[in-house]
Amino acid sequence: MEPLTDPEGVLVANQAFYEAFERRDLDAMSDVWEHGDHVVCTHPGWPTLRGWAAVSGSWFSLFNNQQRLQFIITNERAHVFGDLAYVSCDENLLDAGMGATVASLNLFHRGAGGWRLVAHHGSPVAPS
Amino acid sequence: MEPLTDPEGVLVANQAFYEAFERRDLDAMSDVWEHGDHVVCTHPGWPTLRGWAAVSGSWFSLFNNQQRLQFIITNERAHVFGDLAYVSCDENLLDAGMGATVASLNLFHRGAGGWRLVAHHGSPVAPS
């Protein structure tokens, strides 16, 4: 079976994730995610964080300590299998000294509240 | 909705992936994956490869050029939502000079042939 490739709602959710990230908006970031032991998040170079407590703590830490990041998202592709979908994209960081690309894989689950993140995995792409 | 956490078949598929990887067995690696435009693969430090042609080519290249890798897989967690499941785990590389950990997120789709990979994303964990 090929997945559905009509990604309408999923891409809106993916965009909401990056908007919360750019705005360093903890409330919006919290709304973007499902809250449970099953969520996982791997920031570039970090070990994987498992469970909402660890994941939410990482966003708190990043938003308090890290410089503001701006992205241009490219190569965004969504594939929907029932109530779970994955989005692959490239995060092109614009900030000074950070002209880097992060390869990202985001998983969304569709529940009563719509599509919510259950996994985010970002990894640095080595300069070619 | 919480996902099912009975990951029986998914963990078997995850193990088959790492066995094919360790044995550098292209046929077994091909059997582990779905073949289609929707599959994605991000090797550590690489840009994301999209579609089976690019993904299969990367395994051919890795198996021909890279030293043999051996893993100990830890922190393996599977979560099943219908016919799509994700497995989060750490790949602890044993080889000399490679005492490194790769954080990995693997997605499996259940079709007629059982659970097959549709996405693999591995990223280097920076030494702490």
Side-chain angles (χ1 to χ4, degrees):
Chain A
M1 184 191 83
E2 293 284 312
L4 291 174
T5 46
D6 171 6
E8 192 178 329
V10 179
L11 290 181
V12 171
N14 200 54
Q15 190 172 15
F17 167 61
Y18 286 109
E19 285 175 358
F21 200 160
E22 284 193 328
R23 293 202 315 266
R24 306 204 290 187
D25 184 331
L26 266 182
D27 288 337
M29 185 58 80
S30 179
D31 286 345
V32 162
W33 285 81
E34 285 196 354
H35 299 183
D37 292 340
H38 58 292
V39 303
V40 294
C41 181
T42 311
H43 300 292
W46 290 41
T48 297
L49 305 170
R50 298 179 171 91
W52 175 240
V55 172
S56 63
S58 75
W59 292 112
F60 180 82
S61 173
L62 285 172
F63 290 169
N64 276 282
N65 297 313
Q66 194 182 52
Q67 65 173 325
R68 182 175 296 270
L69 296 178
Q70 285 192 296
F71 307 102
I72 292 180
I73 303 299
T74 55
N75 291 317
E76 196 180 22
R77 303 275 191 287
H79 302 289
V80 180
F81 287 92
D83 288 330
L84 199 62
Y86 59 98
V87 179
S88 165
C89 62
D90 296 328
E91 306 167 3
N92 303 281
L93 303 175
L94 295 181
D95 299 79
M98 295 278 289
T101 298
V102 169
S104 188
L105 180 64
N106 301 320
L107 308 190
F108 295 87
H109 175 240
R110 180 166 44 195
W115 291 106
R116 293 265 162 78
L117 261 178
V118 291
H120 165 67
H121 192 144
S123 66
V125 176
S128 58
Chain B
M1 185 190 83
E2 293 284 311
L4 292 174
T5 47
D6 171 6
E8 191 177 330
V10 179
L11 290 182
V12 170
N14 200 54
Q15 190 171 14
F17 168 61
Y18 287 108
E19 285 174 358
F21 201 159
E22 285 194 327
R23 293 202 314 266
R24 306 203 291 187
D25 183 332
L26 267 182
D27 289 338
M29 185 57 80
S30 179
D31 286 345
V32 163
W33 285 81
E34 286 196 352
H35 299 183
D37 292 341
H38 58 292
V39 303
V40 294
C41 182
T42 311
H43 300 293
W46 290 41
T48 297
L49 305 171
R50 297 179 172 91
W52 175 242
V55 172
S56 63
S58 75
W59 293 111
F60 180 83
S61 174
L62 285 171
F63 290 170
N64 275 281
N65 297 313
Q66 193 181 50
Q67 66 173 325
R68 182 175 294 269
L69 296 178
Q70 285 191 296
F71 307 102
I72 293 180
I73 303 300
T74 55
N75 292 317
E76 196 180 22
R77 302 275 191 287
H79 302 289
V80 180
F81 288 92
D83 289 330
L84 199 63
Y86 58 98
V87 179
S88 165
C89 61
D90 296 328
E91 307 167 3
N92 302 280
L93 302 175
L94 295 182
D95 299 79
M98 296 279 289
T101 299
V102 169
S104 188
L105 180 65
N106 300 320
L107 307 190
F108 295 87
H109 174 241
R110 180 166 43 194
W115 290 105
R116 293 264 162 78
L117 263 177
V118 291
H120 166 66
H121 192 144
S123 67
V125 177
S128 59

